[in-house]
Amino acid sequence: MHSLREMLTHLVLVTLGVLIALSFEGIASWREHRALLHEARANILSELRDNQKELAHRLTEIPKERANLTAAIDVAQKLIDNKKLEGQVQLGFSTADLRDASRTTAAVTGAFGLMDYSEVKKYATVYGYQD
């Protein structure tokens, strides 16, 4: 560099280059965070819908299980009374298989850290009831 003016010109150009590079990096990071949030929300909502269906199905099975228990109590009473048994009794119970992989994934990837507090609180409440 031969003059102060040349030095200042180079300094300004380098500074502008660095600022532009940092801006592009910030924009890329912001887009990645947006994509992560979108995917996490979609996965969590899908998982919660599936869990809701699982619980609804489980609730339809309760009357059948109650009838089976009543039949088993009748059989036990007949055995106590030394009465003859006829037919068969079946006992079976099912459980609702509730999933939480999307919540765990959102926590591990940091998606919850990018969401608003109220949204995370809502998900935490639902999954708390589920646990």
mmCIF file of all heavy atoms in Angstrom, residues 44-69:
data_model
loop_
_atom_site.group_PDB
_atom_site.id
_atom_site.type_symbol
_atom_site.label_atom_id
_atom_site.label_comp_id
_atom_site.label_asym_id
_atom_site.label_seq_id
_atom_site.Cartn_x
_atom_site.Cartn_y
_atom_site.Cartn_z
ATOM 1 N N ILE A 44 -44.524 -33.483 16.075
ATOM 2 C CA ILE A 44 -45.184 -33.534 17.385
ATOM 3 C C ILE A 44 -46.696 -33.584 17.225
ATOM 4 O O ILE A 44 -47.372 -34.387 17.881
ATOM 5 C CB ILE A 44 -44.751 -32.339 18.265
ATOM 6 C CG1 ILE A 44 -43.308 -32.526 18.716
ATOM 7 C CG2 ILE A 44 -45.672 -32.177 19.460
ATOM 8 C CD1 ILE A 44 -42.719 -31.313 19.417
ATOM 9 N N LEU A 45 -47.244 -32.754 16.355
ATOM 10 C CA LEU A 45 -48.694 -32.754 16.156
ATOM 11 C C LEU A 45 -49.174 -34.079 15.582
ATOM 12 O O LEU A 45 -50.218 -34.597 15.994
ATOM 13 C CB LEU A 45 -49.108 -31.591 15.259
ATOM 14 C CG LEU A 45 -48.955 -30.208 15.890
ATOM 15 C CD1 LEU A 45 -49.263 -29.113 14.876
ATOM 16 C CD2 LEU A 45 -49.843 -30.079 17.120
ATOM 17 N N SER A 46 -48.426 -34.656 14.668
ATOM 18 C CA SER A 46 -48.782 -35.962 14.106
ATOM 19 C C SER A 46 -48.742 -37.031 15.195
ATOM 20 O O SER A 46 -49.649 -37.872 15.288
ATOM 21 C CB SER A 46 -47.823 -36.320 12.976
ATOM 22 O OG SER A 46 -48.067 -37.619 12.507
ATOM 23 N N GLU A 47 -47.717 -36.992 16.007
ATOM 24 C CA GLU A 47 -47.590 -37.966 17.093
ATOM 25 C C GLU A 47 -48.737 -37.827 18.091
ATOM 26 O O GLU A 47 -49.315 -38.834 18.539
ATOM 27 C CB GLU A 47 -46.252 -37.770 17.792
ATOM 28 C CG GLU A 47 -45.969 -38.753 18.904
ATOM 29 C CD GLU A 47 -44.560 -38.586 19.412
ATOM 30 O OE1 GLU A 47 -44.297 -37.607 20.152
ATOM 31 O OE2 GLU A 47 -43.723 -39.431 19.062
ATOM 32 N N LEU A 48 -49.095 -36.597 18.434
ATOM 33 C CA LEU A 48 -50.190 -36.382 19.381
ATOM 34 C C LEU A 48 -51.530 -36.841 18.798
ATOM 35 O O LEU A 48 -52.366 -37.399 19.521
ATOM 36 C CB LEU A 48 -50.259 -34.913 19.799
ATOM 37 C CG LEU A 48 -49.116 -34.431 20.696
ATOM 38 C CD1 LEU A 48 -49.216 -32.935 20.952
ATOM 39 C CD2 LEU A 48 -49.071 -35.215 21.996
ATOM 40 N N ARG A 49 -51.734 -36.636 17.500
ATOM 41 C CA ARG A 49 -52.965 -37.137 16.858
ATOM 42 C C ARG A 49 -53.003 -38.663 16.916
ATOM 43 O O ARG A 49 -54.046 -39.254 17.209
ATOM 44 C CB ARG A 49 -53.050 -36.661 15.409
ATOM 45 C CG ARG A 49 -53.677 -35.305 15.239
ATOM 46 C CD ARG A 49 -54.031 -34.999 13.787
ATOM 47 N NE ARG A 49 -52.866 -34.887 12.933
ATOM 48 C CZ ARG A 49 -52.124 -33.790 12.800
ATOM 49 N NH1 ARG A 49 -52.450 -32.705 13.460
ATOM 50 N NH2 ARG A 49 -51.090 -33.770 11.998
ATOM 51 N N ASP A 50 -51.867 -39.306 16.627
ATOM 52 C CA ASP A 50 -51.806 -40.771 16.692
ATOM 53 C C ASP A 50 -52.080 -41.267 18.114
ATOM 54 O O ASP A 50 -52.787 -42.262 18.311
ATOM 55 C CB ASP A 50 -50.445 -41.282 16.218
ATOM 56 C CG ASP A 50 -50.221 -41.077 14.731
ATOM 57 O OD1 ASP A 50 -51.211 -40.824 13.996
ATOM 58 O OD2 ASP A 50 -49.051 -41.176 14.288
ATOM 59 N N ASN A 51 -51.519 -40.574 19.103
ATOM 60 C CA ASN A 51 -51.755 -40.958 20.498
ATOM 61 C C ASN A 51 -53.224 -40.781 20.879
ATOM 62 O O ASN A 51 -53.788 -41.598 21.613
ATOM 63 C CB ASN A 51 -50.867 -40.142 21.431
ATOM 64 C CG ASN A 51 -49.406 -40.544 21.357
ATOM 65 O OD1 ASN A 51 -49.061 -41.587 20.783
ATOM 66 N ND2 ASN A 51 -48.539 -39.737 21.904
ATOM 67 N N GLN A 52 -53.840 -39.735 20.353
ATOM 68 C CA GLN A 52 -55.263 -39.504 20.627
ATOM 69 C C GLN A 52 -56.105 -40.634 20.038
ATOM 70 O O GLN A 52 -57.037 -41.118 20.688
ATOM 71 C CB GLN A 52 -55.675 -38.161 20.060
ATOM 72 C CG GLN A 52 -57.073 -37.735 20.442
ATOM 73 C CD GLN A 52 -57.411 -36.350 19.902
ATOM 74 O OE1 GLN A 52 -56.819 -35.880 18.935
ATOM 75 N NE2 GLN A 52 -58.357 -35.706 20.531
ATOM 76 N N LYS A 53 -55.792 -41.060 18.831
ATOM 77 C CA LYS A 53 -56.506 -42.184 18.215
ATOM 78 C C LYS A 53 -56.299 -43.462 19.022
ATOM 79 O O LYS A 53 -57.231 -44.243 19.212
ATOM 80 C CB LYS A 53 -56.020 -42.405 16.779
ATOM 81 C CG LYS A 53 -56.460 -41.348 15.812
ATOM 82 C CD LYS A 53 -55.875 -41.599 14.432
ATOM 83 C CE LYS A 53 -56.113 -40.429 13.501
ATOM 84 N NZ LYS A 53 -55.412 -40.588 12.219
ATOM 85 N N GLU A 54 -55.080 -43.667 19.492
ATOM 86 C CA GLU A 54 -54.768 -44.850 20.300
ATOM 87 C C GLU A 54 -55.599 -44.855 21.583
ATOM 88 O O GLU A 54 -56.148 -45.890 21.977
ATOM 89 C CB GLU A 54 -53.271 -44.858 20.621
ATOM 90 C CG GLU A 54 -52.794 -46.072 21.367
ATOM 91 C CD GLU A 54 -52.691 -47.316 20.525
ATOM 92 O OE1 GLU A 54 -52.605 -47.225 19.286
ATOM 93 O OE2 GLU A 54 -52.710 -48.420 21.120
ATOM 94 N N LEU A 55 -55.717 -43.702 22.230
ATOM 95 C CA LEU A 55 -56.530 -43.614 23.450
ATOM 96 C C LEU A 55 -58.014 -43.823 23.161
ATOM 97 O O LEU A 55 -58.716 -44.487 23.937
ATOM 98 C CB LEU A 55 -56.324 -42.255 24.123
ATOM 99 C CG LEU A 55 -55.020 -42.082 24.875
ATOM 100 C CD1 LEU A 55 -54.849 -40.632 25.326
ATOM 101 C CD2 LEU A 55 -54.940 -43.023 26.059
ATOM 102 N N ALA A 56 -58.488 -43.277 22.054
ATOM 103 C CA ALA A 56 -59.897 -43.466 21.680
ATOM 104 C C ALA A 56 -60.182 -44.944 21.445
ATOM 105 O O ALA A 56 -61.225 -45.459 21.890
ATOM 106 C CB ALA A 56 -60.228 -42.655 20.435
ATOM 107 N N HIS A 57 -59.271 -45.629 20.774
ATOM 108 C CA HIS A 57 -59.450 -47.071 20.543
ATOM 109 C C HIS A 57 -59.432 -47.824 21.876
ATOM 110 O O HIS A 57 -60.221 -48.743 22.091
ATOM 111 C CB HIS A 57 -58.354 -47.603 19.623
ATOM 112 C CG HIS A 57 -58.391 -49.086 19.464
ATOM 113 N ND1 HIS A 57 -59.392 -49.731 18.762
ATOM 114 C CD2 HIS A 57 -57.572 -50.062 19.937
ATOM 115 C CE1 HIS A 57 -59.179 -51.034 18.800
ATOM 116 N NE2 HIS A 57 -58.087 -51.260 19.511
ATOM 117 N N ARG A 58 -58.540 -47.425 22.770
ATOM 118 C CA ARG A 58 -58.438 -48.077 24.075
ATOM 119 C C ARG A 58 -59.738 -47.912 24.853
ATOM 120 O O ARG A 58 -60.195 -48.837 25.517
ATOM 121 C CB ARG A 58 -57.270 -47.464 24.846
ATOM 122 C CG ARG A 58 -57.099 -47.979 26.247
ATOM 123 C CD ARG A 58 -56.727 -49.451 26.251
ATOM 124 N NE ARG A 58 -56.780 -49.966 27.587
ATOM 125 C CZ ARG A 58 -57.741 -50.758 28.047
ATOM 126 N NH1 ARG A 58 -58.720 -51.152 27.263
ATOM 127 N NH2 ARG A 58 -57.733 -51.186 29.287
ATOM 128 N N LEU A 59 -60.354 -46.755 24.768
ATOM 129 C CA LEU A 59 -61.604 -46.522 25.487
ATOM 130 C C LEU A 59 -62.739 -47.404 24.961
ATOM 131 O O LEU A 59 -63.632 -47.784 25.724
ATOM 132 C CB LEU A 59 -61.997 -45.046 25.405
ATOM 133 C CG LEU A 59 -61.122 -44.095 26.222
ATOM 134 C CD1 LEU A 59 -61.499 -42.650 25.943
ATOM 135 C CD2 LEU A 59 -61.219 -44.405 27.705
ATOM 136 N N THR A 60 -62.713 -47.742 23.673
ATOM 137 C CA THR A 60 -63.759 -48.616 23.131
ATOM 138 C C THR A 60 -63.603 -50.048 23.620
ATOM 139 O O THR A 60 -64.572 -50.811 23.601
ATOM 140 C CB THR A 60 -63.753 -48.616 21.594
ATOM 141 O OG1 THR A 60 -62.514 -49.151 21.115
ATOM 142 C CG2 THR A 60 -63.986 -47.223 21.045
ATOM 143 N N GLU A 61 -62.412 -50.422 24.058
ATOM 144 C CA GLU A 61 -62.165 -51.792 24.528
ATOM 145 C C GLU A 61 -62.579 -52.010 25.984
ATOM 146 O O GLU A 61 -62.770 -53.143 26.406
ATOM 147 C CB GLU A 61 -60.669 -52.141 24.369
ATOM 148 C CG GLU A 61 -60.185 -52.148 22.942
ATOM 149 C CD GLU A 61 -60.849 -53.237 22.109
ATOM 150 O OE1 GLU A 61 -60.950 -54.372 22.588
ATOM 151 O OE2 GLU A 61 -61.277 -52.922 20.978
ATOM 152 N N ILE A 62 -62.738 -50.957 26.737
ATOM 153 C CA ILE A 62 -63.033 -51.083 28.167
ATOM 154 C C ILE A 62 -64.356 -51.812 28.424
ATOM 155 O O ILE A 62 -64.403 -52.697 29.295
ATOM 156 C CB ILE A 62 -62.984 -49.704 28.859
ATOM 157 C CG1 ILE A 62 -61.537 -49.219 28.883
ATOM 158 C CG2 ILE A 62 -63.568 -49.761 30.266
ATOM 159 C CD1 ILE A 62 -61.355 -47.815 29.414
ATOM 160 N N PRO A 63 -65.451 -51.536 27.722
ATOM 161 C CA PRO A 63 -66.691 -52.289 27.987
ATOM 162 C C PRO A 63 -66.537 -53.798 27.746
ATOM 163 O O PRO A 63 -67.069 -54.604 28.513
ATOM 164 C CB PRO A 63 -67.699 -51.682 27.007
ATOM 165 C CG PRO A 63 -67.194 -50.308 26.740
ATOM 166 C CD PRO A 63 -65.700 -50.434 26.780
ATOM 167 N N LYS A 64 -65.795 -54.185 26.716
ATOM 168 C CA LYS A 64 -65.558 -55.619 26.469
ATOM 169 C C LYS A 64 -64.785 -56.239 27.619
ATOM 170 O O LYS A 64 -65.109 -57.346 28.070
ATOM 171 C CB LYS A 64 -64.776 -55.812 25.165
ATOM 172 C CG LYS A 64 -65.501 -55.379 23.925
ATOM 173 C CD LYS A 64 -64.583 -55.528 22.713
ATOM 174 C CE LYS A 64 -65.112 -54.736 21.537
ATOM 175 N NZ LYS A 64 -64.157 -54.687 20.426
ATOM 176 N N GLU A 65 -63.759 -55.530 28.093
ATOM 177 C CA GLU A 65 -62.965 -56.051 29.205
ATOM 178 C C GLU A 65 -63.801 -56.149 30.481
ATOM 179 O O GLU A 65 -63.663 -57.097 31.253
ATOM 180 C CB GLU A 65 -61.739 -55.163 29.433
ATOM 181 C CG GLU A 65 -60.741 -55.253 28.295
ATOM 182 C CD GLU A 65 -59.626 -54.246 28.404
ATOM 183 O OE1 GLU A 65 -59.589 -53.459 29.381
ATOM 184 O OE2 GLU A 65 -58.781 -54.232 27.492
ATOM 185 N N ARG A 66 -64.681 -55.183 30.681
ATOM 186 C CA ARG A 66 -65.561 -55.211 31.848
ATOM 187 C C ARG A 66 -66.498 -56.421 31.777
ATOM 188 O O ARG A 66 -66.712 -57.114 32.775
ATOM 189 C CB ARG A 66 -66.360 -53.915 31.932
ATOM 190 C CG ARG A 66 -67.240 -53.858 33.180
ATOM 191 C CD ARG A 66 -67.907 -52.529 33.341
ATOM 192 N NE ARG A 66 -66.889 -51.593 33.809
ATOM 193 C CZ ARG A 66 -66.892 -50.299 33.570
ATOM 194 N NH1 ARG A 66 -67.857 -49.769 32.863
ATOM 195 N NH2 ARG A 66 -65.954 -49.512 34.031
ATOM 196 N N ALA A 67 -67.044 -56.703 30.587
ATOM 197 C CA ALA A 67 -67.912 -57.876 30.405
ATOM 198 C C ALA A 67 -67.133 -59.155 30.656
ATOM 199 O O ALA A 67 -67.650 -60.093 31.283
ATOM 200 C CB ALA A 67 -68.509 -57.871 29.005
ATOM 201 N N ASN A 68 -65.893 -59.229 30.189
ATOM 202 C CA ASN A 68 -65.063 -60.405 30.428
ATOM 203 C C ASN A 68 -64.771 -60.596 31.911
ATOM 204 O O ASN A 68 -64.775 -61.726 32.422
ATOM 205 C CB ASN A 68 -63.743 -60.311 29.661
ATOM 206 C CG ASN A 68 -63.927 -60.487 28.165
ATOM 207 O OD1 ASN A 68 -64.946 -60.995 27.709
ATOM 208 N ND2 ASN A 68 -62.952 -60.054 27.402
ATOM 209 N N LEU A 69 -64.542 -59.503 32.620
ATOM 210 C CA LEU A 69 -64.313 -59.597 34.065
ATOM 211 C C LEU A 69 -65.563 -60.072 34.795
ATOM 212 O O LEU A 69 -65.484 -60.886 35.724
ATOM 213 C CB LEU A 69 -63.872 -58.243 34.621
ATOM 214 C CG LEU A 69 -62.416 -57.873 34.402
ATOM 215 C CD1 LEU A 69 -62.165 -56.436 34.844
ATOM 216 C CD2 LEU A 69 -61.500 -58.817 35.146
#
